[in-house]
Amino acid sequence: MNISQLETLIMISKTMSFRKAGELLNLTQPAVSAQIKSLEDEFKTILIDRNQPVTLTDRGVVFLEHAERILEVVEELKQKLYDLNETPQGHIALGTTTSIAIQILPRVLSYFQDQFPLIKTSIQSMASSMIYQQVENGLIDVGIGYLIERNPNLSTSVLYYDSFELVVSPTHPLASQPHATIEALREIPLILLSPDTVGRKFVDDVFKKHQIVPHVVIELSSSEEVKRMVEINLGAAIISRLSVTSELRAGTLKMIHIPELEVSHPVGVIYKSGRYLNSAMQQFLSDLKGMPETNFTSSE
């Protein structure tokens, strides 16, 4: 049974003629007859009394009622699918790091919710390395994090660039120096991110390259925790430049420029290649990729 056969039966019931039904459906009379015969064979019953005028049998009347209901459901489905294209809706599971969630997501999601209130978003915080794994395994729909690897199963798009900088309390001995050398990191107590984070792996590579054994006094899993420890002068830290924007503006932290740390790190959107994208995902990705970099890096 197919939709065309049901439409043909309904048209015959209205016109009481195989020929007229065929004309209205742009089908030949033999094609109309074949469709009805196929339905009757499949359901092992006679649906139409072919004497003139053509009428439905008792079984045909019952069949017609269900056929009309089926077509109503099909039309409703078509309309809902169309509406999804016109008014995106659905649910998006988003994974990102704590610092990115705090720094950029409020602005991005505020805009998105205003434009598309029928799209609901849930956010999970995790390390950038975990984002790749969660997206590939289908546990989250979209990730926003540092683009640290290439995976043929994943698609990525750069949104903006970040860097990792040395920050200290205003009362720290280095606070009065806008610049320092990498050698300054040999002796001072450091508060660093945990080893599974992108920032920590970058810092460890810098230390290894310059043969520095850091004096690590605290390791923490999020930039927010690190910033609070630095503000009370328990040590210096190397963390995302964008994550300390508000603290720098408020004067609770000072940034010390070290040339060896000034490397740009792409931050972008991560999603599974080849997967079906519902209207919510399509709209979210389209808007996210279309935003200028200042939407993410602006301090306001």
Side-chain angles (χ1 to χ4, degrees):
M1 181 181 70
N2 57 48
I3 299 301
S4 178
Q5 291 171 332
L6 300 183
E7 291 173 337
T8 299
L9 178 69
I10 292 171
M11 190 60 70
I12 290 173
S13 73
K14 293 177 179 179
T15 62
M16 302 178 69
S17 166
F18 277 60
R19 179 181 60 80
K20 290 180 181 178
E23 290 174 355
L24 293 172
L25 294 171
N26 294 317
L27 296 172
T28 64
Q29 188 168 334
V32 171
S33 297
Q35 286 194 344
I36 298 303
K37 181 64 166 59
S38 178
L39 271 181
E40 291 177 329
D41 289 345
E42 183 174 350
F43 288 90
K44 297 179 176 60
T45 191
I46 301 300
L47 300 174
I48 293 179
D49 183 347
R50 287 161 175 79
N51 293 319
Q52 295 300 324
V54 172
T55 58
L56 297 181
T57 65
D58 291 342
R59 289 178 171 80
V61 172
V62 173
F63 196 99
L64 177 66
E65 293 175 0
H66 289 271
E68 289 174 335
R69 284 160 55 189
I70 290 171
L71 289 185
E72 286 175 2
V73 172
V74 170
E75 285 304 311
E76 181 183 352
L77 174 60
K78 288 180 180 178
Q79 185 61 50
K80 285 187 175 181
L81 293 176
Y82 174 79
D83 289 344
L84 284 174
N85 289 329
E86 295 301 305
T87 308
Q89 53 190 285
H91 177 261
I92 299 172
L94 176 66
T96 188
T97 66
T98 302
S99 61
I100 291 174
I102 292 173
Q103 178 68 22
I104 70 166
L105 282 189
R107 282 175 289 165
V108 172
L109 295 182
S110 175
Y111 158 80
F112 201 71
Q113 290 295 306
D114 286 344
Q115 298 297 312
F116 307 101
L118 296 180
I119 296 178
K120 306 304 177 186
T121 307
S122 61
I123 303 170
Q124 299 178 43
S125 178
M126 61 192 72
S128 283
S129 56
M130 281 295 295
I131 293 174
Y132 279 78
Q133 181 181 334
Q134 298 269 27
V135 172
E136 186 170 15
N137 292 337
L139 299 176
I140 56 175
D141 299 312
V142 182
I144 300 178
Y146 291 98
L147 303 184
I148 55 177
E149 62 182 76
R150 292 185 178 182
N151 186 321
N153 298 320
L154 301 177
S155 295
T156 61
S157 180
V158 176
L159 299 176
Y160 63 95
Y161 289 88
D162 195 5
S163 61
F164 296 99
E165 305 282 354
L166 178 69
V167 293
V168 299
S169 160
T171 59
H172 192 278
L174 290 177
S176 61
Q177 304 176 30
H179 302 276
T181 67
I182 194 71
E183 294 301 315
L185 300 180
R186 289 188 181 277
E187 302 299 333
I188 62 173
L190 290 173
I191 302 168
L192 298 181
L193 290 166
S194 55
D196 62 334
T197 61
V198 174
R200 177 60 180 276
K201 290 176 181 177
F202 165 68
V203 170
D204 285 345
D205 287 343
V206 172
F207 288 153
K208 183 177 180 180
K209 179 179 179 181
H210 294 275
Q211 298 181 328
I212 292 174
V213 178
H215 177 33
V216 181
V217 292
I218 304 175
E219 289 183 336
L220 296 165
S221 60
S222 80
S223 295
E224 294 305 304
E225 296 170 334
V226 169
K227 289 188 294 183
R228 301 294 82 83
M229 297 299 103
V230 176
E231 283 176 330
I232 60 177
N233 203 20
L234 294 182
I238 301 172
I239 56 175
S240 158
R241 177 175 187 153
L242 291 177
S243 73
V244 296
T245 302
S246 60
E247 287 81 6
L248 293 175
R249 190 167 60 244
T252 60
L253 290 177
K254 295 289 184 179
M255 182 186 299
I256 313 300
H257 294 286
I258 295 180
E260 290 81 358
L261 298 180
E262 294 175 0
V263 176
S264 293
H265 299 267
V267 177
V269 60
I270 305 156
Y271 56 99
K272 198 164 185 176
S273 303
R275 66 164 287 178
Y276 168 73
L277 301 179
N278 62 28
S279 62
M281 281 276 289
Q282 290 180 29
Q283 191 65 56
F284 185 78
L285 290 172
S286 175
D287 280 28
L288 205 57
K289 293 177 183 179
M291 288 182 178
E293 184 171 343
T294 52
N295 277 38
F296 306 104
T297 58
S298 171
S299 60
E300 297 300 326

